[in-house]
Amino acid sequence: MFPVTEDPILSVRNLKKHYPITQGILSRQVGAAKAVDGISFDIAEGETLGLVGESGCGKSTAASSIIRLEEATEGEVIFNGGDRAGRSRNGDGSHPNDVTTFDDEELKAFRRDAQMIFQDPSSSLDPRMTVGSSVAELLLVHGMTDKQRRREIVEDLLERVGLEAEYYDRYPHEFSGGQKQRIALARALVLNPEFIVADEPVSALDVSIRAEILSLLNDIQEEFGLSMLFISHDMSVVREVCDRVAVMYLGEIVEIGDTDEVFSNPQHPYTEALLSAIPRPDPSAQRENIELKGTVPSPTNPPSGCKFHTRCHMVIQSDEFDLEQERWRALLTFRDRVRSGEVDPESIREALALENDDPSSIDDETIKQELRMEFDLAEELYDPEAESILQDALDALADGRIEDANEQLSTFTTPCEKEVPQETDHGNGHLSSCLRNKPETEHGAPLADD
């Protein structure tokens, strides 16, 4: 996704990070785990962009690749790169400000301007060093040999982040989690950077401390004019601190836009599901909590088409059928579980027989009823053609004919598994990738009451 940002401080272009999967004595590569699979965005000066999604979606890997703690597989990370159209590129097409191509000297200079705050401050502080020495170490690495000057700078920073200057000589074990995160923030600021990556900086903290750290981050950003990539799985935190938000799923950004716009008018079903999970202060407020009931895919073998279709509560039906959305989702989930070999009618029969005083009563009809109940398939689908196909598949399963069941269930298909969604521009930099937003097609149905 390429939202337009004039003179961004950071431009990420088609960034990928794939981890090879090897096999055998010779460690031949047989595949790859696509942790980050082609993300693009800009961050303007003084802006905070939130990168949000469930655990395992690739957020932290993206952060590590951007800050060059890990080597990207492909793509560009252009820092202070000027013209986004590429007129400042080298003759070979590369960009002189592409972090992924920096040599050691350039990378050291980049480290002055870009810093990272980690989720667990305890693991990023050396227990054998005083906290003052840990913060001052960066100044020494970058050439400040005056020990007294280093101490003065660090003591000043400790006070700016809400601690005491005298804490300089204490050790990490003497501080609480919130205090350690303040120390980590001081260390990130000690080189006076322009850009900070904050990777889940408050997720390990108590709720009461979390608010203090978020408020401090806001104050520090204003005071120092920082740009920030703020990574979180908590949508309520993102709403509080971020100017824009990018929603990430299975290595891809599926929606990006101004925070208020995305929260008030989500255009991707995954965003809608994440927002539905935000706790509300009024327990009597009516709101649908969206439960994602499908199959969780793996980054080593991502689904075809839209990567979210295996869990999507709004997955598009084929033209042949007309079912309630919930029943259609359940039908596709059942199909996928049978296809993957997770449905074993004989095991169900044996389990029911153990529970029943009369094992002989566990006939095929009982097995079929159990399968319907387990997969929320309803006693009868109101689409006659869909019901007939399902009945044939259930008959085959009860009879142990798994391949025949697979053949019947393969009739149920969705455009979402065949077509990769392209981005749709909803105006003002609000972009999403969902077939339901595809213009001028039968898929352009609204996600909610918008």
Side-chain angles (χ1 to χ4, degrees):
M1 297 198 176
F2 293 84
V4 176
T5 302
E6 292 186 6
D7 297 326
I9 191 170
L10 186 82
S11 293
V12 175
R13 293 289 175 263
N14 195 36
L15 184 68
K16 297 182 181 181
K17 177 59 180 177
H18 296 176
Y19 295 98
I21 299 172
T22 59
Q23 200 174 69
I25 298 175
L26 299 178
S27 296
R28 289 197 175 102
Q29 184 172 341
V30 294
K34 300 177 180 179
V36 179
D37 199 25
I39 63 172
S40 300
F41 57 82
D42 291 340
I43 299 180
E45 283 191 40
E47 180 185 46
T48 298
L49 174 70
L51 189 59
V52 67
E54 297 168 297
S55 296
C57 73
K59 307 183 302 294
S60 294
T61 304
S64 298
S65 301
I66 288 168
I67 210 76
R68 190 82 184 270
L69 296 181
E70 293 194 71
E71 297 296 330
T73 304
E74 191 178 313
E76 295 180 322
V77 178
I78 301 169
F79 185 70
N80 273 331
D83 178 52
R84 67 192 305 275
R87 286 194 292 269
S88 58
R89 292 182 178 273
N90 298 322
D92 60 359
S94 65
H95 200 290
N97 293 66
D98 182 5
V99 176
T100 67
T101 65
F102 282 175
D103 59 24
D104 290 346
E105 185 178 343
E106 291 170 321
L107 193 58
K108 184 177 180 181
F110 171 66
R111 294 273 186 255
R112 289 189 63 93
D113 294 326
Q115 288 288 310
M116 190 164 183
I117 303 171
F118 297 93
Q119 177 178 355
D120 181 9
S122 298
S123 63
S124 60
L125 292 172
D126 189 336
R128 298 165 299 179
M129 295 176 67
T130 66
V131 296
S133 297
S134 289
V135 176
E137 184 179 26
L138 278 73
L139 292 170
L140 180 61
V141 167
H142 286 270
M144 184 176 288
T145 56
D146 187 332
K147 185 176 181 180
Q148 182 58 35
R149 178 60 181 149
R150 292 201 305 269
R151 184 177 185 108
E152 289 172 359
I153 291 172
V154 172
E155 287 180 344
D156 176 62
L157 269 178
L158 289 175
E159 291 181 339
R160 287 189 183 215
V161 298
L163 300 172
E164 302 292 333
E166 64 194 46
Y167 290 173
Y168 186 103
D169 296 309
R170 296 187 183 181
Y171 288 85
H173 71 270
E174 300 179 63
F175 297 93
S176 66
Q179 288 174 319
K180 288 177 185 176
Q181 197 59 287
R182 290 173 186 268
I183 294 164
L185 179 56
R187 187 170 59 179
L189 295 172
V190 72
L191 294 175
N192 194 24
E194 298 178 58
F195 175 65
I196 284 181
V197 175
D199 186 7
E200 301 270 14
V202 296
S203 62
L205 304 179
D206 294 338
V207 174
S208 58
I209 305 300
R210 189 178 303 179
E212 294 180 12
I213 298 299
L214 291 176
S215 177
L216 176 62
L217 276 172
N218 275 329
D219 294 343
I220 291 293
Q221 185 179 20
E222 276 191 34
E223 181 180 353
F224 288 83
L226 294 170
S227 304
M228 189 181 303
L229 177 63
F230 188 95
I231 293 171
S232 180
H233 65 275
D234 190 332
M235 294 292 277
S236 58
V237 170
V238 167
R239 185 171 202 170
E240 185 175 340
V241 301
C242 298
D243 304 300
R244 288 190 302 131
V245 58
V247 181
M248 196 168 179
Y249 183 79
L250 205 64
E252 297 179 347
I253 292 176
V254 297
E255 184 164 3
I256 188 169
D258 289 344
T259 302
D260 290 342
E261 174 66 18
V262 170
F263 273 67
S264 63
N265 188 26
Q267 292 297 319
H268 194 281
Y270 181 58
T271 308
E272 194 180 42
L274 291 178
L275 291 174
S276 77
I278 299 176
R280 292 195 175 184
D282 182 3
S284 65
Q286 295 297 313
R287 182 189 60 183
E288 178 188 6
N289 279 324
I290 298 169
E291 183 181 355
L292 301 178
K293 296 181 179 180
T295 303
V296 179
S298 167
T300 62
N301 186 27
S304 59
C306 172
K307 290 183 178 180
F308 186 55
H309 82 260
T310 62
R311 301 172 69 198
C312 182
H313 60 286
M314 297 294 291
V315 61
I316 298 169
Q317 295 187 40
S318 56
D319 294 335
E320 299 96 296
F321 307 109
D322 182 19
L323 294 168
E324 295 176 4
Q325 187 65 43
E326 185 178 359
R327 300 305 180 199
W328 178 245
R329 171 69 273 163
L331 200 55
L332 291 182
T333 301
F334 180 57
R335 179 205 66 178
D336 292 343
R337 296 284 172 81
V338 172
R339 183 180 290 170
S340 65
E342 297 176 57
V343 177
D344 184 356
E346 283 309 307
S347 295
I348 295 174
R349 194 185 299 273
E350 291 170 8
L352 290 174
L354 287 172
E355 295 175 2
N356 201 300
D357 293 334
D358 181 15
S360 63
S361 67
I362 312 302
D363 56 13
D364 287 355
E365 283 302 315
T366 304
I367 297 299
K368 291 191 288 184
Q369 288 172 11
E370 183 69 20
L371 286 170
R372 280 185 179 270
M373 184 171 63
E374 183 177 343
F375 288 94
D376 297 324
L377 292 171
E379 293 183 7
E380 184 176 355
L381 302 178
Y382 66 69
D383 185 302
E385 185 179 356
E387 175 62 26
S388 175
I389 295 168
L390 177 59
Q391 277 285 7
D392 289 344
L394 290 170
D395 288 340
L397 283 170
D399 197 33
R401 294 179 285 112
I402 307 297
E403 288 303 316
D404 290 344
N406 270 320
E407 185 177 348
Q408 290 293 330
L409 293 172
S410 66
T411 308
F412 300 120
T413 61
T414 169
C416 300
E417 64 191 346
K418 299 177 180 179
E419 186 177 347
V420 177
Q422 302 302 309
E423 68 181 26
T424 301
D425 189 343
H426 307 283
N428 298 320
H430 186 184
L431 308 175
S432 69
S433 296
C434 177
L435 289 183
R436 283 186 169 271
N437 295 328
K438 187 177 179 181
E440 299 178 2
T441 74
E442 68 276 14
H443 308 323
L447 290 178
D449 298 330
D450 49 279

